[in-house]
Amino acid sequence: MIRSRTAFIAAGLALAFTLATTAAGSLQTPEQFLGHKVGADNKLVRWDKIVEYMKLAAANSDRVRFRELGPTSNGNPFIALEIASPETLKNLDHFKQLEQKLYFQGGAPTDAEREAIFREGKLVLVITCSIHATEIGASQMTVELVHRLATEDSPTVKKILDNVIFVLVPSLNPDGQIMVTDWFNKNVGTPFSNSPIPYLYHPYVGHDNNRDMYMFTQKESQHTARLLWHDWFPSVWLDEHQMGSNAARIFVMPATDPINVNVHPLIYRWNGILGQSQAAALEAAGKEGIIYNSTYTNFWEGAMAWSGWWHNQIGLLTEVASARVAAPIEQQRAIPGRANAPAGGRSGEGGPSTGSGQAGRGQQFSDAPLAAPTDINPRTEYPRPWMGGRWTLGDIVDYELIATMALLETAADRRETINRNIYEVNRQTIEDGKKGNPSAILVPADQHDAREAAHLVDRLNMGGVEIYRADAAFEADGKKYGAGTYVIPMTQVFARYAKDMLEKQMYPEVRRAPNAPPEPPYDVTAWSLGMLLGVDTVFVKTALPEFKMTKIDSLPAIAGDVTGPGNNASAAARFAFDYKGPDTAIAINRLLKDGAKVTFDGASRVAITNTTRARMESLAKDFGLSVKATEVRRPGPVDPATVAFHAPRVAMYQPWTGGNMDEGWTRWVLEQYEFTLTSIHNAEIRAGKLRQKFDAIIIADQDPRGIIDGFDAPAIRPEYRGGIGDGGVENLKQFVADGGTLVTMGNACDLAIEKLPIPVRNLKKGLTRDQHFAPGAILHVEVDAQHPLGYGVARDTFGFYINSPFFSVVEGFNSQRTSVVARYPNTGVLASGWLKGEELMSGRAAVVSVDLHPGHVVLFGLRPQHRAQTHATFPLLFNALYLSASETENRKEKTEN
């Protein structure tokens, strides 16, 4: 599946041999190097070979520099190439300084600096490729692209090299590229050539990796953010993708409504100019099926390069129709005059080969031709529709190479104009901040969890935002704020980004005609970062007074200490600290692994024995804990509010249905918070005896039929066919009957509701999109903080909701105890974003715990760990795991009380 870094050592030795036998300055063609043409049917260039060729290009051309930005999640090289004329590369630091000044880094440029930027500065342009690993064409195309730019002496290439600094990231997901290439090569030419990749094509997040460009949880996102907003500050950024196979051949900018008012209008204008330059080049080459103003909206902080908009960068997207990875597709030809689908229908990402959503949606397991395209109406945004026919990886490479070269040439032609316009956008952004409303955004020191405020600051800082900490108390808008308050001035070039990330989102209504129904959003509609982390923020309307502040450049430290009596060397003391927020869990898990005894001592305290003061002082320092040491309590009656527990033995169900992104995100979250986790598959669940191995089993968001049946077709490799089956369902029932805790999330809750005798009804089930729909919104949530599952969570908080269940409790058996742990308020459910049918959720349960005596079932309708963003609700999941490992006598006593 995944080769280790030894493969790259071997590749390095091969490269050394190649360099020794290749004349300096003569770069092999891709076909010479690979033994086949780039884009040849059923031929893929693996990541190690791409890296090898890029090193070869840098060694043999004075137009190319190779950089390794760091390791990926699996330890593979994450690389970038800097491509420009030899003269530019010799003075690269000078041109980088000019570009940073264009973005007002270190203050506004002087008049002389500004004129130098316009006169001699280059147009810095970044292209990123193939973040979704099955959308593999762009990463293949880069080999051909680099050879052309490194060797060709045409006027076009010379113009590009003289005017553009081109920063190329050949793959934003090298780990997935390796997985997909190896899987394809394993199956090509066999009866299983169409068997979908059974696991996520990223170690954790699969197709969701381009939804990580504001939380920056993954290493690849972090490398990209540093390149874009701490190093190069490009004016133009293109992200190259693939889409479904049945309609248009390529999407280019501009995208469709609605727009986001926090983006400067010039950015949208240049989206159109540059995108249409790509379209014109493709039309000139006689290519069919070029569309714009379709599917993808201008509103959301999601699709990689689009996050550049709020950073005053011209962010562009291309989406090329997919083949079956590297295998050709045949599509029936359309017949003009037949009834067609309405123009401009949204087909979305993914398709037969892309594995959109990584859950098997749209997968095709045969070589039968696709149905003829239905959208064949010529119109302004789609003048030459695709009519069907043969489509190959070579076609993808060809389309992407033409579009890429067209963008580079237009950027070279418009170098000075773009730089002048970007300067004006940056200048206006800062001037707008001086006018106020808001003049600044504050993150007060007094928070439910001060560590989450620090995390919020750290994430914004990764996004390039300048943040300060007040050294003394001050007043803003007539209210006093204490020392330690974080201050985000709006007089900075990335103020638009900070504002968009922290304010409440309000999705604009889009109607194609006055009497037409409003169109639903394409993707998530809310990303208010303060809400997701449970952190209060304040928008200051008037100008801030002068006061001393210190700039924050790294994760702020939160002070912690241990007070009270206790022997530094012995384990005779009892320690206690507040349980607030998810970071507490790391300290708890380290103590449990040490062998300490850990107890929930009521709703907001954690008590520890069998550890040392030195250990507690270390944890207090690392996690900002205020720990109080006391003498060990004498034995007495057990307080029913206390819960003692050992380290939970947790299993996570991992299906073979193309991977499960929710599973991957959950696995990543639990690993970061240092839970011990075992991934289990269909065979382990079908084998039974689960309670002997695990205290809790988590089933992430997935339809019950997918869990039970999986993929079962002759084209699927036998070892990945099927699901847990009816026998697996019975074993899960037995696991609960034996005292285990079954944790279900999202649509997997229906598995528990339908197969176990629990008194809960899913009220979402059966509702149509016209009745209830939410592609991603942040909702108000009320939490029972006295219930052990609610410990550490604020009573009034926020949760992320995306078309998952919400519940009502119905009549159950007397032996059961059903608790609503979190619910939506009676009024005002929506906190940020867009939600249709809000009234249907009012007062309904979001998280339900059912004690089946002795086992438990926990149903998460809201997404407590959604894309590792929802820190405010992480403890709800963590507590379900801790309670699964509670001591039997305490659990029994709590039930009897």
Side-chain angles (χ1 to χ4, degrees):
M1 183 193 305
I2 302 167
R3 296 201 305 194
S4 69
R5 284 190 69 89
T6 57
F8 286 92
I9 295 172
L13 294 174
L15 175 61
F17 175 78
T18 303
L19 294 178
T21 57
T22 302
S26 61
L27 177 62
Q28 289 178 298
T29 67
E31 187 171 2
Q32 290 171 335
F33 178 76
L34 301 170
H36 61 82
K37 289 184 177 181
V38 174
D41 287 353
N42 298 313
K43 298 289 186 181
L44 288 176
V45 189
R46 198 175 188 269
W47 181 243
D48 50 350
K49 294 295 289 183
I50 292 176
V51 172
E52 183 180 344
Y53 191 80
M54 299 311 180
K55 287 182 178 179
L56 190 68
N60 285 272
S61 172
D62 55 3
R63 304 173 181 181
V64 180
R65 284 191 181 179
F66 178 95
R67 291 177 61 186
E68 183 169 341
L69 303 183
T72 64
S73 298
N74 278 346
N76 293 305
F78 189 92
I79 69 170
L81 301 182
E82 294 163 338
I83 303 173
S85 70
E87 293 74 19
T88 298
L89 290 183
K90 288 176 184 176
N91 297 284
L92 200 60
D93 288 344
H94 168 68
F95 291 108
K96 182 178 288 186
Q97 290 169 5
L98 290 179
E99 186 69 10
Q100 290 173 349
K101 263 306 177 188
L102 176 61
Y103 278 85
F104 288 56
Q105 299 303 296
T110 64
D111 290 347
E113 288 172 330
R114 184 178 68 246
E115 290 309 309
I117 292 167
F118 299 154
R119 183 180 63 255
E120 61 177 289
K122 307 302 180 183
L123 193 288
V124 179
L125 186 152
V126 166
I127 293 181
T128 52
C129 302
S130 300
I131 188 168
H132 299 143
T134 49
E135 301 170 12
I136 204 163
S139 68
Q140 307 294 291
M141 178 272 297
T142 61
V143 179
E144 197 72 56
L145 175 67
V146 169
H147 177 263
R148 182 172 180 181
L149 294 173
T151 63
E152 188 176 299
D153 290 322
S154 67
T156 297
V157 168
K158 185 178 187 304
K159 177 175 61 177
I160 290 169
L161 296 173
D162 287 344
N163 289 278
V164 175
I165 295 173
F166 174 30
V167 183
L168 173 64
V169 179
S171 174
L172 285 168
N173 182 10
D175 297 340
Q177 205 275 357
I178 293 169
M179 295 180 200
V180 168
T181 301
D182 289 351
W183 179 259
F184 182 86
N185 290 337
K186 176 180 180 178
N187 293 292
V188 66
T190 76
F192 311 114
S193 59
N194 290 319
S195 185
I197 187 168
Y199 35 77
L200 291 170
Y201 49 61
H202 176 277
Y204 294 104
V205 302
H207 198 81
D208 258 358
N209 47 3
N210 68 327
R211 273 69 171 178
D212 193 42
M213 279 308 286
Y214 52 85
M215 277 304 289
F216 311 112
T217 65
Q218 302 303 301
K219 291 181 179 180
E220 299 81 6
S221 308
Q222 295 164 13
H223 296 323
T224 306
R226 292 188 189 101
L227 179 70
L228 293 164
W229 304 316
H230 297 267
D231 185 14
W232 263 117
F233 297 87
S235 300
V236 180
W237 174 16
L238 167 64
D239 193 35
E240 300 196 3
H241 285 245
Q242 290 172 217
M243 58 182 177
S245 307
N246 61 336
R249 297 298 89 185
I250 185 171
F251 165 85
V252 298
M253 300 296 284
T256 192
D257 288 328
I259 65 169
N260 187 305
V261 295
N262 287 323
V263 176
H264 194 287
L266 264 174
I267 300 300
Y268 286 132
R269 294 299 185 187
W270 277 105
N271 281 345
I273 294 169
L274 296 182
Q276 289 306 289
S277 75
Q278 295 176 298
L282 288 159
E283 296 285 4
K287 301 300 184 183
E288 298 179 20
I290 305 147
I291 196 169
Y292 70 93
N293 187 34
S294 173
T295 304
Y296 311 99
T297 64
N298 283 302
F299 179 76
W300 63 301
E301 291 256 13
M304 290 303 291
W306 294 13
S307 61
W309 297 343
W310 293 267
H311 291 84
N312 299 343
Q313 295 164 325
I314 304 166
L316 304 167
L317 172 73
T318 57
E319 295 265 359
V320 180
S322 294
R324 291 192 178 94
V325 187
I329 278 180
E330 297 287 347
Q331 185 175 18
Q332 296 173 2
R333 296 285 297 179
I335 301 175
R338 287 192 175 179
N340 300 314
R346 294 188 174 183
S347 59
E349 293 178 272
S353 71
T354 66
S356 176
Q358 283 250 224
R361 294 190 293 271
Q363 288 285 0
Q364 182 169 309
F365 305 140
S366 76
D367 290 317
L370 300 179
T374 56
D375 184 5
I376 58 172
N377 295 324
R379 53 193 185 277
T380 301
E381 63 263 33
Y382 196 35
R384 184 163 28 179
W386 168 253
M387 302 299 288
R390 181 179 172 84
W391 187 250
T392 69
L393 177 61
D395 292 319
I396 298 169
V397 168
D398 195 23
Y399 271 63
E400 287 177 329
L401 188 59
I402 293 169
T404 300
M405 288 298 296
L407 175 63
L408 289 168
E409 184 174 8
T410 304
D413 289 336
R414 307 299 297 274
R415 176 197 64 82
E416 183 175 343
T417 301
I418 293 175
N419 281 345
R420 286 183 179 274
N421 282 187
I422 291 298
Y423 171 83
E424 188 60 25
V425 172
N426 289 333
R427 186 194 66 78
Q428 288 181 18
T429 300
I430 291 173
E431 288 301 314
D432 288 345
K434 294 177 181 177
K435 297 174 184 177
N437 200 17
S439 63
I441 304 173
L442 307 180
V443 182
D446 184 18
Q447 300 280 347
H448 172 74
D449 183 1
R451 291 159 300 195
E452 287 305 316
H455 287 308
L456 173 65
V457 167
D458 184 56
R459 296 303 84 190
L460 291 172
N461 184 263
M462 177 67 76
V465 177
E466 295 181 2
I467 305 165
Y468 299 80
R469 177 185 271 163
D471 295 330
F474 65 96
E475 188 172 296
D477 286 348
K479 184 177 179 180
K480 292 184 177 180
Y481 295 90
T485 296
Y486 300 111
V487 182
I488 305 169
M490 292 292 99
T491 51
Q492 60 175 299
V493 288
F494 293 164
R496 298 174 186 275
Y497 175 72
K499 180 176 182 287
D500 202 64
M501 289 309 308
L502 294 176
E503 71 183 2
K504 172 183 177 179
Q505 273 75 56
M506 300 181 66
Y507 188 81
E509 189 175 87
V510 177
R511 297 176 186 266
R512 296 296 171 182
N515 296 324
E519 294 188 358
Y522 168 70
D523 211 290
V524 298
T525 61
W527 45 85
S528 306
L529 203 54
M531 295 181 187
L532 291 171
L533 272 62
V535 175
D536 295 328
T537 59
V538 178
F539 282 61
V540 179
K541 298 179 180 179
T542 58
L544 284 176
E546 293 288 335
F547 58 92
K548 188 177 180 181
M549 300 184 294
T550 301
K551 189 175 180 181
I552 300 295
D553 292 318
S554 59
L555 180 65
I558 305 298
D561 59 5
V562 179
T563 60
N567 188 317
N568 187 52
S570 75
R574 177 181 185 272
F575 302 92
F577 53 85
D578 286 342
Y579 183 21
K580 286 186 177 180
D583 278 12
T584 315
I586 305 177
I588 291 172
N589 287 335
R590 290 183 184 179
L591 287 163
L592 289 170
K593 290 171 184 176
D594 290 346
K597 183 175 181 180
V598 181
T599 303
F600 283 152
D601 193 13
S604 61
R605 298 287 283 175
V606 179
I608 312 293
T609 56
N610 199 34
T611 191
T612 66
R613 188 183 187 99
R615 179 58 165 153
M616 294 307 303
E617 287 174 343
S618 174
L619 292 171
K621 179 181 178 181
D622 289 345
F623 299 103
L625 302 174
S626 295
V627 181
K628 185 176 181 181
T630 62
E631 299 297 329
V632 175
R633 288 178 179 173
R634 294 180 178 179
V638 177
D639 184 345
T642 65
V643 181
F645 52 91
H646 58 258
R649 303 171 301 163
V650 182
M652 167 76 72
Y653 171 60
Q654 196 173 70
W656 294 129
T657 50
N660 181 320
M661 292 182 292
D662 200 49
E663 178 275 329
W665 281 115
T666 308
R667 178 163 38 88
W668 186 88
V669 167
L670 294 179
E671 287 182 10
Q672 300 310 302
Y673 288 86
E674 301 187 16
F675 285 85
T676 299
L677 183 68
T678 302
S679 293
I680 58 174
H681 301 92
N682 299 326
E684 288 90 342
I685 293 181
R686 290 195 295 257
K689 298 182 179 179
L690 298 168
R691 186 67 182 99
Q692 297 176 14
K693 306 170 188 175
F694 308 115
D695 300 308
I697 295 175
I698 303 171
I699 303 181
D701 178 43
Q702 188 177 0
D703 181 82
R705 287 262 58 90
I707 297 169
I708 297 171
D709 295 340
F711 284 165
D712 194 0
I716 305 296
R717 292 194 70 89
E719 62 267 35
Y720 298 113
R721 289 178 191 166
I724 68 172
D726 293 336
V729 172
E730 292 303 313
N731 288 336
L732 290 175
K733 289 182 181 179
Q734 189 61 49
F735 170 74
V736 175
D738 291 340
T741 295
L742 180 64
V743 178
T744 57
M745 298 194 290
N747 291 314
C749 293
D750 281 340
L751 180 72
I753 292 171
E754 294 168 5
K755 301 298 182 180
L756 291 167
I758 59 175
V760 180
R761 179 177 296 142
N762 175 8
L763 299 178
K764 168 70 174 173
K765 193 170 185 178
L767 296 177
T768 66
R769 279 172 60 115
D770 290 335
Q771 294 172 309
H772 185 271
F773 184 62
I778 299 173
L779 308 184
H780 290 283
V781 178
E782 299 171 346
V783 177
D784 182 357
Q786 297 301 312
H787 191 285
L789 276 179
Y791 289 174
V793 184
R795 294 177 183 274
D796 294 299
T797 190
F798 303 94
F800 196 88
Y801 179 84
I802 179 167
N803 288 324
S804 50
F806 50 93
F807 310 108
S808 66
V809 176
V810 297
E811 292 185 8
F813 298 121
N814 290 335
S815 60
Q816 300 171 343
R817 172 170 294 182
T818 303
S819 302
V820 174
V821 180
R823 67 190 293 272
Y824 302 111
N826 294 335
T827 58
V829 175
L830 181 65
S832 182
W834 185 90
L835 170 63
K836 186 170 187 176
E838 178 178 358
E839 70 283 356
L840 298 173
M841 302 180 71
S842 298
R844 296 304 187 178
V847 180
V848 176
S849 174
V850 184
D851 186 348
L852 295 175
H853 195 73
H856 285 74
V857 175
V858 182
L859 309 172
F860 284 100
L862 62 78
R863 301 250 183 150
Q865 69 342 334
H866 176 73
R867 291 176 177 161
Q869 298 169 3
T870 52
H871 290 210
T873 51
F874 280 1
L876 293 170
L877 174 60
F878 298 167
N879 294 341
L881 305 182
Y882 290 138
L883 293 174
S884 75
S886 63
E887 296 179 1
T888 304
E889 288 302 314
N890 279 354
R891 174 176 286 186
K892 178 180 178 181
E893 183 156 347
K894 285 182 66 60
T895 303
E896 292 173 350
N897 279 275

